Amino acid sequence: MTNTENLFELVYILMDRKQMTASQLAEHFGVSTRTVYRWIECLSIAGIPVFATKGSGGGIRIDKNYALDKTVLTEDEKQSVVASLNALKSLTGAESSAAKKLQSLSKHNTDWLEVDFGTWSPLGRYVRTVFDVLKNAILHETIVTFDYFSTGGHTQHRTVHPWKIVFRGQAWYAFGWCELRGQERYFKLSRIQNITDTKRHSSVPVRSLTNLNEEYEYGGKDEFDFPMISLTLKVKNSAVYRIMDDVLVETETNLSDSGEFSTVTVQVQESYWLYSWLLSFGSDIKIIEPISIKEQYSLIVRQMKDGLE
């Protein structure tokens, strides 16, 4: 360890332990007390407020506030760290003592960012329950079991070694080793039922997300391997916000209070959920193109009508 590394370690030890004697520090570093005092002198010259007091209860100490405020983090760094820690409150459900300490030292507002991954519906509370079980299993390296509802309409009991919880798009996923499939898998938390932490230790080591084959994409390749298409719709102005909430809007015209409808072109995946999504708008939309999507949509509507007669 270089002399510079020793000096940095000395600073952090004093910040953590408040005060230590020269002999304790000498024993820790394997040097003489003379060397420790020489280091203290170097730190003082560099502007680090290190003090040595004699007598009973004396020792070497550092002004923690000054060291943290002036030496360890800049003002911008403190704001970024505190904002990040505060944002994690929605996931951990606990106040961060580290955030409180840094916040007290910052000169600016550090409570400018709030992150809440929950939904407005009761589903958000349920997903949070699944999230907590998975979080504890990951931290304690235990195996979980649950019933999983796949996009193919199948319900299967899964035994999973969870490694990570991932938020992508608008949903939470669990990533880990699935014993049933014998490979890495993603599981959407909203489709998990009857989850149980078995308390049995996981024997499958964590794999890197960056080295996975594409077939292990979120929810499985069959869910996301769909072509992107441009879809042009005639939409009631009162429903345009729903379009913008769900998909990427390329263009929109006649979007004003004076007209009842707007023409909107969006980028969507031609997937299993597309027609269900379109049907959810009822009479508020009309498909203009592609013609193939319009024809298939009309066929589905006729089948629904026939089914009601």
Side-chain angles (χ1 to χ4, degrees):
M1 184 178 289
T2 66
N3 192 52
T4 301
E5 290 173 329
N6 283 328
L7 290 175
F8 271 110
E9 184 176 350
L10 174 58
V11 170
Y12 283 108
I13 287 175
L14 293 176
M15 288 173 59
D16 182 53
R17 302 188 186 182
K18 315 304 183 193
Q19 180 173 294
M20 292 185 70
T21 65
S23 58
Q24 287 174 326
L25 290 169
E27 181 180 357
H28 174 83
F29 287 101
V31 297
S32 66
T33 54
R34 175 180 291 184
T35 298
V36 171
Y37 283 118
R38 188 168 65 248
W39 288 350
I40 299 302
E41 184 179 357
C42 290
L43 289 172
S44 297
I45 293 174
I48 309 299
V50 181
F51 306 97
T53 56
K54 298 181 179 180
S56 177
I60 299 170
R61 61 184 179 84
I62 189 171
D63 186 329
K64 182 182 66 174
N65 288 345
Y66 181 90
L68 188 59
D69 190 38
K70 301 297 185 182
T71 309
V72 181
L73 297 173
T74 66
E75 185 64 28
D76 288 343
E77 289 170 337
K78 281 185 291 187
Q79 290 186 63
S80 297
V81 171
V82 175
S84 299
L85 291 173
N86 282 334
L88 288 175
K89 287 190 295 186
S90 65
L91 302 182
T92 62
E95 295 285 342
S96 170
S97 59
K100 288 183 177 180
K101 291 176 182 177
L102 286 174
Q103 192 166 354
S104 66
L105 297 173
S106 179
K107 301 174 183 177
H108 302 290
N109 177 27
T110 56
D111 195 24
W112 59 271
L113 177 66
E114 182 173 342
V115 179
D116 188 349
F117 292 102
T119 64
W120 295 105
S121 70
L123 176 63
R125 293 192 293 272
Y126 172 74
V127 168
R128 178 56 185 266
T129 300
V130 177
F131 180 101
D132 289 340
V133 174
L134 286 167
K135 178 189 72 174
N136 290 329
I138 292 170
L139 294 177
H140 295 94
E141 298 182 355
T142 55
I143 301 170
V144 298
T145 62
F146 51 79
D147 297 321
Y148 192 67
F149 294 75
S150 69
T151 56
H154 305 295
T155 305
Q156 293 176 314
H157 191 68
R158 304 294 185 101
T159 300
V160 175
H161 303 243
W163 296 331
K164 188 181 288 288
I165 300 175
V166 181
F167 186 84
R168 180 176 179 179
Q170 298 178 347
W172 285 104
Y173 297 83
F175 173 68
W177 180 266
C178 176
E179 291 189 359
L180 180 66
R181 301 300 185 197
Q183 59 185 201
E184 299 93 340
R185 284 288 181 180
Y186 285 92
F187 301 93
K188 200 169 186 178
L189 266 59
S190 59
R191 299 181 194 161
I192 291 175
Q193 292 285 335
N194 305 317
I195 187 168
T196 301
D197 187 343
T198 67
K199 306 299 182 182
R200 291 187 285 116
H201 184 71
S202 174
S203 58
V204 183
V206 177
R207 307 286 178 87
S208 170
L209 275 76
T210 58
N211 296 327
L212 293 180
N213 188 286
E214 287 185 358
E215 65 180 301
Y216 303 135
E217 282 286 343
Y218 295 82
K221 188 178 177 66
D222 59 334
E223 272 195 62
F224 287 86
D225 192 20
F226 297 106
M228 297 295 294
I229 61 171
S230 285
L231 183 65
T232 302
L233 307 168
K234 184 177 180 181
V235 188
K236 264 192 177 181
N237 283 341
S238 58
V240 170
Y241 78 93
R242 284 190 55 201
I243 302 285
M244 292 182 167
D245 283 347
D246 294 336
V247 295
L248 175 63
V249 175
E250 290 184 318
T251 60
E252 70 273 351
T253 57
N254 301 323
L255 187 59
S256 65
D257 295 333
S258 58
E260 185 181 359
F261 288 89
S262 296
T263 300
V264 179
T265 301
V266 299
Q267 279 285 318
V268 295
Q269 282 184 311
E270 191 177 359
S271 66
Y272 60 91
W273 62 266
L274 175 59
Y275 296 101
S276 297
W277 178 70
L278 291 171
L279 287 168
S280 70
F281 288 88
S283 60
D284 286 347
I285 67 166
K286 179 181 179 181
I287 301 172
I288 299 176
E289 56 183 20
I291 298 300
S292 60
I293 300 296
K294 181 177 180 178
E295 291 175 346
Q296 181 62 25
Y297 179 82
S298 298
L299 175 62
I300 294 173
V301 172
R302 288 197 299 271
Q303 290 173 340
M304 291 175 62
K305 180 181 178 182
D306 293 342
L308 294 174
E309 293 178 349

